[in-house]
Amino acid sequence: MAGKLTLLDIAKRTGNDPQVGIVESMIQSNALLQVLPFRSINGISYRYAQRKGLPTVSFRGFNQGVTASKSVVQQITIETKNIGGRSQIDKLLAEADPQGVQHARAEEDMSFLAAMGNLYNSKAFYGNATTSPLEFNGIASMLNALGGTAIGAGGSTGSSIYAVAFNDAVSPQGRMRGVEGILGNGKNISMVDMGLYYAVDADSNSYLAYTTEFEFAPGLAVYDTRSIARLANIDSTHKPSVTLLNQIITAMFPFVPSMFFCSKQTYNWVQDLKGTTINNVTVGNNLFERVTQFNGIPILIDENISDSETAIS
């Protein structure tokens, strides 16, 4: 991903230490969100031309013509969606914290950041703008709707291993972009301290609460359906295999997967492939720091991938 910036890279480039801390708190336990490159845009949407098919050519004889033809091009609009939250902690509760008001507020704010990171990451896989217009389309929804590469492991339901290409692919037809996140108006996630406001309890009574407002306007751009794929319908009797993972990689050509993402349970089944083409490298004592690779492609745990997805046909 040379030259491509993640959310954390963007925050660090601003030189804003609080912003770095905000992003670090949000991306924990979200493998895709940690490594997904992001592009800042002006406004909340932009359009680009996507070539879906090549022009028609033919053999011709002497003194014979050919029919004019054109590439098949469609206009694609990428939109960002608004994710928001409001943290409110009772003034008396915050003041009762032995470590002080700021400690109590920080703990509550960090939980909001984690929730926002989980929401984006989950929708990056399962978001469906057709049924929920406030969401953007996630990878699984795009594959189901557009007929991209979705290979079944043989189960009737289960989980998936998602393959995502962040880097561009190069073919005789030119350079094709992979997958990236989008930041509306070039704005990273923000926290605004609103001070003391009245909050309302379950009985509609008011009380003073320290209030923080959270804003995030992200999207997800998949420029070519060949840059995403999934090995689906994985369960305890239909596990990942070397053959199936190789099929995913081949089907994505000319793209090369940057990473595989899977649930904890699927990750355990991947470990059964050790000794084949799986390489296990320990870089720390934490389970989530173990890097497992298949043919040089890292396999990462993402806690937002479900173990009971809707089956694909």
Side-chain angles (χ1 to χ4, degrees):
M1 291 188 298
K4 296 191 176 183
L5 303 178
T6 65
L7 279 179
L8 189 56
D9 294 328
I10 294 172
K12 289 179 177 178
R13 286 200 170 190
T14 67
N16 186 326
D17 289 339
Q19 180 70 51
V20 172
I22 290 172
V23 174
E24 286 177 335
S25 297
M26 188 178 70
I27 63 178
Q28 291 179 3
S29 300
N30 293 292
L32 177 63
L33 190 52
Q34 288 183 39
V35 297
L36 180 67
F38 271 80
R39 173 189 298 269
S40 298
I41 64 171
N42 294 322
I44 61 173
S45 65
Y46 74 100
R47 301 182 74 187
Y48 70 96
Q50 181 186 74
R51 180 159 52 196
K52 293 193 64 179
L54 298 175
T56 300
V57 297
S58 61
F59 292 101
R60 74 176 186 90
F62 296 121
N63 296 323
Q64 292 179 341
V66 294
T67 302
S69 179
K70 300 180 179 65
S71 295
V72 181
V73 177
Q74 66 177 357
Q75 289 289 325
I76 303 294
T77 299
I78 301 298
E79 292 185 344
T80 59
K81 303 293 183 176
N82 298 313
I83 299 176
R86 179 174 299 152
S87 168
Q88 289 187 317
I89 181 170
D90 190 331
K91 177 177 178 291
L92 296 180
L93 177 62
E95 291 172 348
D97 190 310
Q99 299 184 61
V101 170
Q102 293 307 316
H103 176 264
R105 295 189 66 185
E107 279 199 335
E108 185 69 7
D109 289 347
M110 292 307 102
S111 67
F112 268 80
L113 291 172
M116 293 181 76
N118 289 341
L119 179 60
Y120 176 84
N121 213 80
S122 175
K123 296 306 178 183
F125 290 110
Y126 304 120
N128 191 323
T130 300
T131 57
S132 303
L134 295 179
E135 301 175 1
F136 52 82
N137 283 320
I139 294 171
S141 299
M142 292 183 194
L143 289 172
N144 291 340
L146 302 177
T149 300
I151 295 174
S156 58
T157 184
S159 191
S160 294
I161 295 177
Y162 289 90
V164 183
F166 303 135
N167 295 317
D168 297 345
V170 179
S171 76
Q173 289 77 48
R175 182 175 293 273
M176 296 163 288
R177 285 188 285 178
V179 178
E180 62 185 3
I182 303 296
L183 287 178
N185 291 314
K187 180 181 177 183
N188 215 324
I189 185 173
S190 65
M191 294 171 51
V192 181
D193 183 357
M194 306 299 292
L196 283 170
Y197 268 72
Y198 277 108
V200 179
D201 66 14
D203 297 318
S204 299
N205 296 318
S206 299
Y207 61 94
L208 277 175
Y210 289 103
T211 304
T212 307
E213 198 76 17
F214 299 85
E215 295 180 350
F216 190 31
L220 182 70
V222 177
Y223 298 103
D224 191 308
T225 55
R226 289 172 296 178
S227 64
I228 54 175
R230 67 194 283 205
L231 174 59
N233 299 353
I234 299 170
D235 60 28
S236 58
T237 55
H238 303 88
K239 299 178 181 180
S241 69
V242 171
T243 298
L244 290 171
L245 289 173
N246 275 324
Q247 287 178 20
I248 291 290
I249 296 172
T250 303
M252 292 177 69
F253 182 83
F255 288 93
V256 177
S258 301
M259 294 182 182
F260 290 111
F261 300 91
C262 64
S263 70
K264 292 178 181 177
Q265 180 59 72
T266 303
Y267 182 85
N268 286 333
W269 290 329
V270 168
Q271 302 308 304
D272 295 339
L273 299 178
K274 290 177 185 176
T276 53
T277 55
I278 292 287
N279 303 314
N280 190 69
V281 181
T282 300
V283 296
N285 295 322
N286 190 321
L287 168 66
F288 300 104
E289 293 177 346
R290 288 170 57 195
V291 179
T292 301
Q293 297 182 340
F294 178 78
N295 285 350
I297 302 170
I299 302 179
L300 303 181
I301 294 173
D302 196 301
E303 294 187 301
N304 286 287
I305 296 177
S306 172
D307 285 320
S308 56
E309 298 177 343
T310 301
I312 65 166
S313 57

